[in-house]
């Protein structure tokens, strides 16, 4: 009947199907955006992206192959790999202040083994890496078995290792053993050519491995449980000591590897490399990326992105001519801004889950 109004499509009060809310592309984009914002790494990813855009616009050299290999292998890779060990420890409720000195001592140990004691290059490199495992075990023994706080334990081992480096090297740098140079290209790379990306390639592979370990394996589940509820973990039958010992040894191994990489990359073994600065950068990368200092919460991908942020700031400020003197002021302010944004986004995620 022509006099009767035909029903309109849709429900009364709903937006037209052609509007934004009814558009499937819009709904998919909104769902993707909501999923992205729920990720712990979202804020630091946005910060890293914004920094890359800023330095790309302010310096024509920023996105060149030479500068990117310097940024990612020369700066970021060491913070990423050290950050992996720190994330595992921080999640389990501990910290390692000695990583920068394991970093400094491992290439010297390789040098002594090859040049003074005639050990072939490959076993010498493995023994230098194993030194990191031993230091991690010692840190675990004092912290877990003797119940000394990890802050104090690792501070003590840091100074011991620092003294060993300065005493045995007489505070002078040493050359890379000639027999180790071929292996060194694959471990730490060089400052030019395809091997300039070796350190970053190692970092990406290790991030992928430990991301899976943390979120998909029993070891990762127990690490989170130990840091989140120590008493409950013991009552649930988790071997707390084994988890903490293991994570200390992981941290020591990562530090020894980074020390070898930096020595090969710079083509010298420098007693002034390492120290407390790389450790602080690694912990900062972990915290910026969403790892809690009190344990129980953390992410390997977040530490990866946090390290990219720190390396981008260092490299970018150098490119645009900001001197080293005010760099720490700007870096500290950037860290605080990133952390405020991270905390705010975490609050929004919590509020979104409670609605």
């Amino acid at each position: 009947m022509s006099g009767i109004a035909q029903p309109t499509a849709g429900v009364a009060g709903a937006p037209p199907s052609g509007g934004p809310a009814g558009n499937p592309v819009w709904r998919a984009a909104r769902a993707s955006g909501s999923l992205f914002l729920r990720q712990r790494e979202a804020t630091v990813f946005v910060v890293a992206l914004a920094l890359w855009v800023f330095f790309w616009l302010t310096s024509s050299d920023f996105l060149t192959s030479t500068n990117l290999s310097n940024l990612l292998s020369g700066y970021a890779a060491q913070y990423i790999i050290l950050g992996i060990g720190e994330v595992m420890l921080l999640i389990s409720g501990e910290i390692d202040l000695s990583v920068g000195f394991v970093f400094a001592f491992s290439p010297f140990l390789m040098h002594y083994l090859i040049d003074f004691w005639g050990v072939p290059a490959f076993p010498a490199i493995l023994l230098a890496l194993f030194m990191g495992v031993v230091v991690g075990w010692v840190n675990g023994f004092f912290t877990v078995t003797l119940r000394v706080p990890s802050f104090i334990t690792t501070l003590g081992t840091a100074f011991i290792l620092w003294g060993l480096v300065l005493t045995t090297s007489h505070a002078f740098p040493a050359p890379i053993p000639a027999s180790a140079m071929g292996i060194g290209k694959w471990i730490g790379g060089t400052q030019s050519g395809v091997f300039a990306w070796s350190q970053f390639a190692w970092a990406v592979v290790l991030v992928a491995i430990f991301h899976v370990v943390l979120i998909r394996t029993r070891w990762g589940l127990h690490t989170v449980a130990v840091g989140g509820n120590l008493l409950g973990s013991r009552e649930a039958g988790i071997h707390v000591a084994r988890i903490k010992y293991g994570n200390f040894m992981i941290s020591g191994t990562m530090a020894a590897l980074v020390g070898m990489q930096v020595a090969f990359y710079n083509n010298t073994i420098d007693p002034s490399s390492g120290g407390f600065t790389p450790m602080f950068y690694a912990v900062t990368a972990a915290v910026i990326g969403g790892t809690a200092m009190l344990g129980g919460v953390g992410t390997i991908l977040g530490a990866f992105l946090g390290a990219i942020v720190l390396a981008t700031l260092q490299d970018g400020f150098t490119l645009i001519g900001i001197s080293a003197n005010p760099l720490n002021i700007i870096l500290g302010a950037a860290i605080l801004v990133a952390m405020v944004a991270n905390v705010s986004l975490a609050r929004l995620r919590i509020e979104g889950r409670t609605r």
Side-chain angles (χ1 to χ4, degrees):
M1 296 174 60
S2 59
I4 299 177
Q6 298 298 314
T8 58
V11 180
S17 60
N23 189 315
V25 175
W26 170 262
R27 289 200 304 269
R30 186 174 179 182
S32 299
S34 177
L35 178 63
F36 171 73
L37 290 175
R38 286 199 296 270
Q39 304 307 308
R40 187 173 298 278
E41 301 88 355
T43 307
V44 69
F45 174 80
V46 172
V47 171
L49 184 61
L51 287 173
W52 276 53
V53 171
F54 172 76
F55 288 119
W56 169 55
L57 294 175
T58 53
S59 173
S60 59
D61 294 328
F62 182 71
L63 289 183
T64 62
S65 175
T66 300
N67 185 65
L68 287 179
S69 68
N70 180 60
L71 187 159
L72 296 175
S73 281
Y75 289 114
Q78 58 183 291
Y79 307 147
I80 292 167
I81 298 173
L82 291 175
I84 290 170
E86 293 291 359
V87 166
M88 299 300 289
L89 271 177
L90 287 169
I91 293 174
S92 62
E94 306 295 346
I95 192 169
D96 187 354
L97 305 185
S98 68
V99 291
F101 299 96
V102 176
F103 170 138
F105 189 62
S106 64
F108 273 107
L109 179 58
M110 175 194 68
H111 159 56
Y112 301 149
L113 289 168
I114 295 174
D115 291 336
F116 296 165
W117 298 320
V119 178
F122 188 70
I125 290 171
L126 290 180
L127 286 170
L129 293 175
F130 184 71
M131 183 271 297
V133 178
V134 172
V135 173
W137 185 90
V138 170
N139 286 334
F141 175 76
F142 278 93
T143 300
V144 179
T145 304
L146 300 184
R147 301 189 179 184
V148 178
S150 58
F151 185 94
I152 303 300
T153 293
T154 57
L155 188 63
T157 53
F159 280 110
I160 291 170
L161 289 167
W162 195 3
L164 283 172
V165 168
L166 296 177
T167 301
T168 58
S169 69
H170 304 289
F172 283 99
I176 299 290
S179 62
M181 293 297 291
I183 302 173
K185 289 182 179 181
W186 294 95
I187 296 176
T190 60
Q191 295 191 15
S192 61
V194 67
F195 286 105
W197 297 91
S198 293
Q199 285 190 63
F200 188 66
W202 274 92
V204 170
V205 170
L206 289 170
V207 164
I209 291 170
F210 279 94
H211 175 70
V212 173
V213 168
L214 186 59
I215 68 171
R216 297 294 183 190
T217 69
R218 182 172 295 181
W219 185 272
L221 176 64
H222 288 180
T223 295
V224 173
V226 166
N229 187 341
L230 184 61
L231 180 60
S233 298
R234 286 199 177 105
E235 293 177 346
I238 295 175
H239 201 308
V240 172
R242 182 184 302 159
I243 294 295
K244 293 199 174 190
Y245 265 93
N247 286 328
F248 272 115
M249 288 189 281
I250 288 170
S251 180
T253 305
M254 295 297 106
L257 173 61
V258 169
M260 304 287 284
Q261 289 180 327
V262 171
F264 285 125
Y265 185 78
N266 294 327
N267 200 31
T268 186
I269 304 172
D270 189 350
S272 65
S273 67
F276 286 113
T277 300
M279 178 274 297
F280 283 125
Y281 274 100
V283 172
T284 301
V287 173
I288 287 178
T291 298
M293 292 291 290
L294 298 179
V297 176
T299 160
I300 298 293
L301 291 180
F304 172 85
L305 292 170
I308 296 293
V309 166
L310 295 176
T312 301
L313 288 170
Q314 283 187 288
D315 180 73
F317 286 145
T318 301
L319 285 178
I320 63 178
I322 295 179
S323 71
N325 294 329
L327 177 60
N328 286 335
I329 299 173
I330 299 169
L331 187 60
I335 290 168
L336 290 175
V337 169
M339 285 306 302
V340 169
N342 230 344
V343 170
S344 300
L345 188 59
R347 188 181 301 116
L348 290 174
R349 285 196 297 265
I350 293 170
E351 290 174 356
R353 284 196 293 265
T354 56
R355 288 175 183 170

